[in-house]
Amino acid sequence: VNIESAKRAAGKQAVADHFDPSASHVGIGSGTTIVYVVEAIKESSTNPQIRFVPTGYQSRQVIVQAGLTPIAFDSLPEDTMLDIAFDGADEVDVELNCIKGGGACLFQEKLVAERAKKFICVADYRKKQDRLLTNWPTIPIEVAPISVPTVLHSLRVLGSSNPKLRTTLLEKSGPLKTDQDFFIIDAPFPKLLIAEDIAAGKGKGDGSDGTWEVNKLSEAIKALTGVLEVGIFSGLNGPDADAISGKEGVKTVTS
Ligand code: DER
């Protein structure tokens, strides 16, 4: 199946199933799949009052280029929750935990996702796996530039075989910088366990036996001094949120 048509189908389905044209604030994620979500919203949205909250420069461009009205995350009144947030993912497991950060926008993505009443992950079939780190090998981590050497060392201590600073020679020589002017480290880890695996005795999940459970690893990495945010999104997908996987039509995956 053509990947782009799968992304477009997933985007259309996610909007058809979850977008409410009378919403007031809608979070828009980053990456390529989200472009199809915005395309579908544009086709269905008639309410000019809706404000779209971007998750970085690229996300804001997608909103503006679609003729929709952005509002900066930090312009929102403190007590305002977004009605819904749509975003892509690099991988999604059976519990709808996500690996995010392939596009290096994970920090603002997590801010927006946590501020939304409902978080919809929109992904084509390549992203849906039983466990995280099956197909996508690394966890993206946003770090303060000065902390890179010490965080790399600490990640090895946590069991990452070969954590690497994300650099790019195509668009810019040297380390990639995020919208916060931070760096990204991509850290490989073995496939992550979920709670039922721990209960089934498949490992302790705390790194002591080489296995990690999704939340335990996320907390361990987040605790490292110098880490701004970790590209593991967990517990964001309540029972009413779906990861839409587009393959031969669209399959809705619910937690
Ligand atoms: O960086 C992210 O988390 C993005 O959502 C991204 O990884 C998804 O990108 P894609 O829709 O282009 O695959």
Side-chain angles (χ1 to χ4, degrees), residues 71 140 151-152 159 178 215 226 235-236 239-240 251:
I71 179 170
V151 170
L152 286 171
T178 67
N215 292 289
L236 281 171
D240 59 355
K251 183 164 52 76

Side-chain angles (χ1 to χ4, degrees), residues 7 30-34 87-90 100-105 109 126-127:
K7 289 181 181 179
S30 310
T32 59
T33 308
I34 199 69
D87 200 348
D90 300 308
K100 285 178 63 51
C105 297
E109 288 175 339
R126 295 171 303 163
K127 317 295 186 67

